[in-house]
Amino acid sequence: MPALLSRPTLRTAAPRRPLLYRLGHGAAAHPWRTLGAWVVLALVVVGLAATFGGTPQDDYDVPGARSQVGIDQLRAHLPGAGNTAARVVVHDRSGGRPSDASLAQLSTRLQAMPHVVQVFPAERSADGDTAVVNVSYDAPVTDPDLMGNLDPIEAAVAPLRATGVQVELGGELPESAAAPMEGRGEIIGIVAALVILVFAFGSVVSAGLPIGTALVGLGVGSAGITLLAAATDVSTAAPMVATMVGLGVGIDYALLLVTRHAEYLAQGFSVTESAGRAAATAGRSVVFAASTVLVSLMGLRLAGLPVYSSFGFSTGIAVLSVMAASLTLVPVLCRFAGRRLLPRAVRRAGRRAGRRSVAGDVVAKSLRMPLTARWAVKVAKRPLLWAVSAAIVMLTLAVPALDMRTWPQDPSSQSTELTTRRAYDLVSAEFGAGSNGPLTVVVDRARLDESAVAGLARDLGARPDIVAVTPAVTSPDSAITVFDAIPAFGPTDERTAGLVRAVRAQLPAGAELTGGTAFFADIAEMLAGRLWIVIAFVVAVSVLLLAMVFRSVVIPVKAAVMNLLSIGAAYGVLTAVFQWGWATDLLGLDHPLAVSSWVPILMFAILFGLSMDYEVFLLSRIREDWARTGDSHGSVVRGLSATGRVISSAAAIMVAVFLGFASEVDVVVKQLGVGMAVAILLDATVVRMVLVPATMSLLGDWNWWVPRWLDRVLPHVRAEVEDDDVELWDEELRDDELRDHETETVGSH
């Protein structure tokens, strides 16, 4: 054994009946009080949300982005510029020419819409069968009156559509409402979770209990997010992300508690005692696992964009709510379910002859060398071969990530069933692909005169990657002059980022490049750089937390490396599926596309926390066994045997939930769903079933090595209950039973 190994020894005085034990035992002993408290809490939170809650609202401004300077100049000096816009594309399918009178009437109706500043004259295509009418507004798209509200513009174009002419809507405002969430993800995830749990545990009660608990916690968490929206800006996508993560971890946490509760029931303990012990053992893992998720989510603040902060806070509220529901409602529901949580064979055996003896024997027999234990033994026999093979698989899957190109999604990545995609395609076909992503040049007239502006426009127009330059427009106060440069390719083309950098290098002092395309290029560059900051923070804090809990240097470092492997492999699969186009048809997409710039950071923060969940669940049982037996190899087999079913079931539920969200129309949601499903699948199979047992078998007692000086410095936090605690609880339980018996005896006399 290593000289500096820190292995816990039996203590003479351990804390009896810890807080989590008392919480679980008390909730099960007084179920109606606990339910009443939850009803009151839910009514208060929902009432506050209904009275004072806000509405999720995006903030698309990015302080620090170079293009933001030009946007602020436009808003300050040119009415309608720098705010949201809409584009109405009118096309005659027969090849005819839309009449000037119909376009004039359309412009009149558009001008009458709320918040409209200007309706520009219609621009016709070269063959005349297509016309584009641009509309500018007096507020950003995030304005509550505008965001997602297509009713006014739909009413304005309805008379023209009634004549048989094709009318499609594009631009920032229609895009805000083009692909609404349809709620399929939640439904698919819940149904799949129910089916998986019924097959895994053979009991409808056991299957429904975790799902019900998660839904209650998620409901309260949703009200909490509404209250958060009253205090700060919350992205409209944040509740969706919070639901995705909250539903998954909520079921996981409840499932872990129910599984441990059923184990204690099978050993013959009463329902209330089982609930207390489950809360004190599995509950510790739940609390610590939730803490790692929260730490990862807080790393989103380092991404530098306000939208990520709202993702972190909203998802954190959901995680805290489902954790609280799991710790308090699971004991209550277990009390109501009684011994129906156990398989029928165990219940029959318990009724035939003494619950502790026969029921425990039946369970022990059913759990004797399950598949996960046999697998762990097989891996432990040749750990080096299995570890190298698994690492090769993960690294191979991660290779495509080296080619990953990130770019914010635009209508070109959407389904052809959406009007915004059809408008995009019409503009590309009739006016050129670059017309969907012009580069806007804003010139400060105090620094550049008329001749300098004309020379700049001429020089840009001479570039081979610029096909046209629009006439310059000077603001009413003569402070700025604005013109657009039309690229030779679309905004999602891989050459766009280089074009933005080249044009910026060509601009003289006093000129700024802005517009949607330049803004997207800035976001892609900023987020690519910030990703490494987020990774460093999340990994460092998570390693520290694991070191505190497991009193080891090797375990947390190894866990971080394995989590990075699973996330890297997920990035690789994401690149191959979307960017290389290997499975776009299966996902309802008609062409390959770049990975959304929003996805890598969000995926990392969420997945690292979720992966740590499974790490805590598994290692808690392994260390608990090792602390009792000192058998480093056997503890891996027994720990994997004890947690294999619950981790596999939890991972399968997570995968189902995330794939459910991949069925939504929005491409960013698709990519998040696919990426996180792949990562969880790999984490629960290749990592937990191969890499963890293989590396732990190779390292033996070195898994738990920690320098003595570090062991003294690190605070003591435990995610498992050790053998001496359980012995003391058994003593207390026997004392309680003896007192109850004496009381009954005295009463009978």
Side-chain angles (χ1 to χ4, degrees), residues 11 122 304 318 332 392 511 589 608 642 729:
R11 298 161 297 170
V332 170
I392 290 174
L589 303 172
F608 203 88
W729 296 348

Side-chain angles (χ1 to χ4, degrees), residues 185-198:
E186 294 94 330
I187 297 173
I188 292 173
I190 292 171
V191 172
L194 186 60
V195 172
I196 291 168
L197 291 177
V198 168

Side-chain angles (χ1 to χ4, degrees), residues 251-267:
I251 295 174
D252 280 5
Y253 297 161
L255 177 59
L256 186 67
L257 286 160
V258 170
T259 302
R260 187 62 76 95
H261 176 86
E263 290 178 9
Y264 286 122
L265 273 183
Q267 293 173 23

Side-chain angles (χ1 to χ4, degrees), residues 436-447:
N436 279 304
L439 302 175
T440 300
V441 180
V442 182
V443 179
D444 185 352
R445 292 304 302 272
R447 305 177 67 179

Side-chain angles (χ1 to χ4, degrees), residues 341-373:
L341 290 174
L342 297 174
R344 288 185 178 180
V346 177
R347 297 202 302 270
R348 291 196 193 104
R351 285 194 296 267
R352 282 197 301 266
R355 289 183 301 175
R356 285 201 183 192
S357 57
V358 179
D361 291 341
V362 170
V363 174
K365 183 177 180 181
S366 67
L367 294 178
R368 190 173 299 140
M369 287 300 286
L371 176 61
T372 51

